[in-house]
Amino acid sequence: MILVTGATGNVGRHLVGELLCADAKVRALTRDPATARLPGEAEVARTDEMPLDGVTSMFLNPAVFWTGLGDALERARDHGVRRIVMLSSSAALDDDPRNAIGAHHLEIERAIEATGLEWTFVRPGEFATNALAWAASIRAGEPVREPYARARSAPIHERDIAAVAARALLSDGLVGAKPVLSGPEALTHPEMVEIIGAAAGIPARFEEISPEQAREEMLSRPYMREGIVDALLRVRAEAVDRDVEISPEVERITGRPARTFAEWAADHF
Ligand SMILES: NC(=O)c1ccc[n+]([C@@H]2O[C@H](COP(=O)([O-])OP(=O)(O)OC[C@H]3O[C@@H](n4cnc5c(N)ncnc54)[C@H](OP(=O)(O)O)[C@@H]3O)[C@@H](O)[C@H]2O)c1
């Protein structure tokens, strides 16, 4: 039995589908089974109960474990779970404690390593799904307002992250690996907005704002801590006019090329 935490999430929902397609037994966790719309073939359970009987491998999404990670890991080990595949982040490559995002993921990776269980740390960069935050503005005909128009990144489709996680859960080839994942092309946010506009068949505009304006706006959102906001802005500032490393790992691990941002936009707009 494979336990998927955050099963309704961007990655978790596709992962549940991939695992069921491979005929694996899946227990999918959500805080609210009644509204989760998870497939009938999966066993659905509540996150706060986290039933572990029969579970051999577990997909761990940090978004679920803002608290209680230590207890969850101890319970997993005590119940005979053998493998943990964690949704980490490429930010974990940066071991600078001022990088709050990297430090958060490294702390979790280290706690998992300390269990002595088998592990894989899947380390994606920027999720293409972050661009869903622009959907309301684009659909309303308003500009997407962001800082650092010349910063480039290689956004990754959530399906590709799920496909890699599925391999790590279903086969032994990624035990002890920390694959860094990216999409197949480097894009600026204005280019991404244009691609979304083309997919949606509506004109979409980008307007550059100052980092200070962006910081203020981000801090007004719930759950956005200062350290995280500053780390996110630092990543964008450092990416201005920089070459972006394109990772070959999605294709190497799954046997199919990473999906483009245009494919992602067509799936969502
Ligand atoms: N966004 C990026 O660019 C990026 C880049 C690299 C790594 N990451 C990593 O990916 C993670 C996000 O993954 P994702 O997009 O797949 O997840 P997600 O969609 O944000 O959330 C996963 C699921 O977790 C549950 N959840 C959310 N908040 C919770 C809470 N406070 N307590 C318990 N459960 C909670 C929700 O399920 P229910 O409502 O059904 O319970 C949600 O569907 C980040 O936390 C980060 O670690 C993100």
Side-chain angles (χ1 to χ4, degrees):
M1 173 76 80
I2 299 174
L3 183 84
V4 177
T5 66
T8 63
N10 291 308
V11 177
R13 197 175 280 286
H14 291 297
L15 176 60
V16 168
E18 291 254 352
L19 295 173
L20 290 173
C21 276
D23 283 333
K25 279 192 175 170
V26 177
R27 185 172 295 146
L29 295 195
T30 169
R31 285 168 298 180
D32 186 3
T35 58
R37 292 181 298 106
L38 285 158
E41 303 93 308
E43 190 187 305
V44 179
R46 289 177 58 94
T47 299
D48 55 1
E49 290 169 359
M50 202 171 93
L52 286 163
D53 48 295
V55 173
T56 50
S57 302
M58 165 174 179
F59 174 73
L60 190 148
N61 184 330
V64 176
F65 294 101
W66 283 106
T67 59
L69 176 73
D71 282 351
L73 293 179
E74 207 173 302
R75 281 191 59 217
R77 202 188 40 210
D78 292 350
H79 274 77
V81 173
R82 290 200 291 271
R83 180 177 303 173
I84 298 181
V85 173
M86 174 198 166
L87 178 57
S88 186
S89 164
S90 62
L93 290 166
D94 177 10
D95 200 0
D96 180 340
R98 287 171 308 166
N99 176 352
I101 302 172
H104 171 64
H105 289 89
L106 273 174
E107 191 183 333
I108 300 175
E109 289 187 0
R110 286 174 184 147
I112 293 171
E113 276 179 291
T115 62
L117 302 179
E118 294 178 351
W119 51 260
T120 304
F121 303 143
V122 178
R123 289 174 159 183
E126 180 180 317
F127 285 14
T129 48
N130 294 349
L132 289 174
W134 304 337
S137 304
I138 291 174
R139 291 198 174 109
E142 288 164 9
V144 170
R145 303 172 79 243
E146 294 260 330
Y148 304 118
R150 296 202 320 272
R152 299 163 87 225
S153 56
I156 180 163
H157 197 305
E158 61 279 10
R159 274 184 185 273
D160 288 331
I161 306 170
V164 170
R167 290 295 168 110
L169 288 159
L170 294 168
S171 63
D172 296 336
L174 291 172
V175 172
K178 305 174 184 179
V180 172
L181 309 181
S182 76
E185 66 209 318
L187 296 166
T188 62
H189 282 180
E191 287 166 342
M192 288 162 67
V193 168
E194 204 178 311
I195 291 169
I196 292 173
I202 47 178
R205 288 177 298 133
F206 182 93
E207 182 184 307
E208 184 165 6
I209 56 173
S210 71
E212 293 73 27
Q213 281 174 294
R215 189 171 188 277
E216 202 173 307
E217 191 277 321
M218 287 162 87
L219 283 171
S220 71
R221 294 182 209 157
Y223 303 116
M224 273 294 196
R225 288 186 287 125
E226 213 166 9
I228 300 286
V229 167
D230 289 337
L232 288 170
L233 288 172
R234 191 160 67 96
V235 168
R236 295 301 294 167
E238 287 172 0
V240 172
D241 295 333
R242 270 255 198 101
D243 282 343
V244 179
E245 222 168 289
I246 304 297
S247 164
E249 293 286 41
V250 168
E251 185 159 7
R252 191 183 67 76
I253 294 167
T254 68
R256 75 180 293 293
R259 292 164 171 91
T260 62
F261 189 73
E263 285 175 274
W264 179 86
D267 286 346
H268 291 273
F269 284 85

